[in-house]
Amino acid sequence: MEPPQDEFGRTFVEVMSEKYSPENFPVRRGPGMGVVVVPITCPQGSPMKDRLNLPSILVLTGCGINRAGDQAEIAAFCAHVIELDLSHNKLQDWREISKIVSNIPNLEFLNLSSNPLGGVTLEPRWAECFSRVRRLVLNNTQVSWDTVMLLTTEITELEELFLCLNEYSSVSASSMACPTLRLLHITDNSLKDWAEVRKFGPMFPSLDTLIMANNNLASIEDNKDILLRLFPKLRSINLHNSGLNRWEDIEKLNFFPRLEEVRLQGIPLLQTYTNTEQRSLMVAQLPSISLLNGSAVTDSEREDAERFFIRYHLDYPEEELPYRYHSLVTKYGKLEPLAEIDLRPRCRAQVEVHCEEKVEQLSIRLDQTVAELKKQLTTVVQLSTNSMRIYYIDKCSAFGPEEMKYNTRALHSYSIQDGDEILVVPKTKLTAGFQLAK
C-alpha cells in the first residue's frame, strides 16, 4: 500500500486507521493477528473506524508518518500492542514520537530506523515514556550519542540496542550505567580507536553480545588485567571487516573471561592465508572459543588446529614465536613436520623409446590413449601407426613386455612411471622372427 503523497506528512493515527481497517486487514487467527479493537469512545470527526483489526505487532514502515495524531485514539486502540515498527518514515520530532509511545503502555519493541533524527533534541520529560521498551532500534537515524545516553538512562529494562549506520567516530562515557543491556549492535560506524570501545564496558556491565562489524577497529590496546574486568559477561563478539592486523590482538580476546563466540572475517591480518590456514590458526589461538565465524569448533578440530599451529611456526626465529606456540609445545611436544605426499594423479612421465638400434627420451601425457601415443611416436621412429606395434616395459617388474594393443585404452591405466620403456617394433620385423628384449 503506497502512502498518499502529502507534503506535510501523515499522522500515526491516519496510517493505522487506513492499514488496519476491516477492509484492508481482515480478522485472522493466530498469535498477534486480527485482534478486534472497539474503542469505548471515538471523538467526533475522527479518521478512526468504529473498529480496527489491530495485531499486537504493528508494522507501519515507509508510510510518510511525521506526527502522532490524536493521543486519545492511540490509547483507545493500542493498549495491547507490544511491538511497533515505524522505520523509514519522516519522524523528526521526539515530542511526536513520545506522544505515540506514551499511549502504548505495553510496548516492548520500537524500531525508528531511517527516520531523520540527527540534530534533534530529546527532552528528559519526553524520554520518560520510553521506560518500558526492552528492544530499541535506531539504525541510520544519525541520532546523537547524548540522546542515546539519555534513553539508556531512562529505559530501566533495556536489553537490546541497535545503533548501526549512525556515523559515530567517538562516544562519550556515561556517569550512569545501563545494567540490563545484553546486546549492542553498532555495526557500520567509524569506531576505529579502542579507547572508544573501552567506554562500553562501564556503560553496559552486563553486555553479552557486542556486534561491531564494519568499524575498521585498528587494534585492541588494553592489557590482560584491564580486559579481564572490562567485559566480564561478554559471551560473543563480532569484529568482521575490522582493521586488526596483529596476532597479538587476536590473543587478547582470550582475556575476556566468558567469551565463547568470535566472528572475525575480512581483516587485514588474514589476507595472506588460505581459508584452511585462517581457521586453523584462529582456532589454535582461541582455546576457549566454541563457535568461530558461525561454525562449531569440535574437540578433534581443535587438536588438529593446535598441532598445525606448532608445525606452522617450526621455522620461525625464537624471538618471533607467539606466546601460544610455547604453551602448545608444552601440551604436545615439539612436533616433526608432516611428510608431504602428493595425491594428485600423475599427468606426465619421462620414458625411453626403443626402436631397433634407436633410443630416445620422450615425455608422454598419461591422459592420452594408446592410439594418441602411436601418433606421437610416428615422428620419433619414422613409422606410420599401422606399421608399428608398441610394448610397455615396466623396469621394476619381473614380467616381460606388455603389448599395448587396445587403441582406446588410457595410458594411466598402465601405471607408467619415469624411467620405464616403450618398445616400438616394425611389423615387418615380427614376421622375420624379431626377438623382444629388455
Side-chain angles (χ1 to χ4, degrees), residues 16-283:
M16 179 174 62
S17 174
E18 182 177 295
K19 178 172 182 177
Y20 294 106
S21 68
E23 294 82 8
N24 292 329
F25 197 86
V27 177
R28 304 178 193 175
R29 292 185 178 181
M33 299 298 294
V35 179
V36 179
V37 181
V38 181
I40 298 175
T41 61
C42 194
Q44 187 175 5
S46 167
M48 304 293 274
K49 307 294 182 182
D50 58 351
R51 55 185 277 165
L52 293 180
N53 298 329
L54 277 183
S56 59
I57 300 173
L58 298 188
V59 180
L60 300 174
T61 63
C63 297
I65 299 171
N66 72 342
R67 57 195 189 279
D70 191 283
Q71 296 184 67
E73 293 172 345
I74 300 174
F77 282 92
C78 296
H80 66 294
V81 171
I82 58 175
E83 295 191 11
L84 177 59
D85 187 346
L86 292 174
S87 59
H88 298 276
N89 279 292
K90 299 179 180 180
L91 292 162
Q92 52 186 336
D93 186 337
W94 281 107
R95 184 178 182 183
E96 293 298 320
I97 297 171
S98 69
K99 289 177 183 178
I100 298 171
V101 174
S102 63
N103 288 287
I104 307 179
N106 295 302
L107 189 65
E108 296 182 358
F109 171 85
L110 176 61
N111 186 356
L112 295 173
S113 296
S114 299
N115 281 279
L117 295 172
V120 181
T121 301
L122 172 62
E123 298 289 341
R125 65 179 185 276
W126 301 336
E128 294 174 0
C129 67
F130 293 87
S131 61
R132 295 174 299 277
V133 174
R134 294 176 180 269
R135 293 175 291 149
L136 179 62
V137 186
L138 297 171
N139 297 335
N140 194 33
T141 57
Q142 277 65 58
V143 62
S144 71
W145 190 255
D146 287 341
T147 297
V148 172
M149 289 295 91
L150 177 57
L151 287 167
T152 58
T153 301
E154 293 295 335
I155 306 176
T156 56
E157 297 184 11
L158 184 64
E159 296 177 0
E160 299 179 4
L161 180 59
F162 296 77
L163 298 171
C164 309
L165 295 162
N166 283 330
E167 302 180 6
Y168 299 133
S169 58
S170 63
V171 298
S172 57
S174 174
S175 58
M176 293 187 64
C178 179
T180 56
L181 193 75
R182 296 183 297 102
L183 182 149
L184 177 60
H185 200 302
I186 193 165
T187 65
D188 295 280
N189 285 283
S190 300
L191 297 171
K192 300 178 182 181
D193 193 337
W194 180 256
E196 305 304 320
V197 181
R198 182 190 298 127
K199 298 171 187 176
F200 296 148
M203 280 193 278
F204 311 121
S206 297
L207 197 64
D208 171 272
T209 302
L210 176 59
I211 304 175
M212 276 194 57
N214 305 324
N215 270 280
N216 204 29
L217 178 69
S219 64
I220 300 175
E221 298 170 358
D222 288 325
N223 60 34
K224 178 179 179 179
D225 291 338
I226 294 175
L227 293 175
L228 282 170
R229 300 190 303 270
L230 189 60
F231 293 110
K233 297 184 179 180
L234 189 67
R235 186 194 56 82
S236 175
I237 191 168
N238 184 333
L239 295 172
H240 280 340
N241 299 318
S242 62
L244 300 180
N245 58 11
R246 302 180 308 162
W247 281 110
E248 290 87 343
D249 294 319
I250 309 304
E251 289 178 349
K252 286 183 178 180
L253 295 176
N254 291 312
F255 301 145
F256 298 132
R258 295 193 182 181
L259 194 65
E260 299 175 356
E261 178 179 5
V262 170
R263 292 179 181 266
L264 196 55
Q265 293 178 316
I267 64 173
L269 173 66
L270 301 178
Q271 288 178 355
T272 59
Y273 300 97
T274 66
N275 290 340
T276 301
E277 289 173 341
Q278 288 179 20
R279 184 167 177 88
S280 294
L281 293 172
M282 291 282 288
V283 168

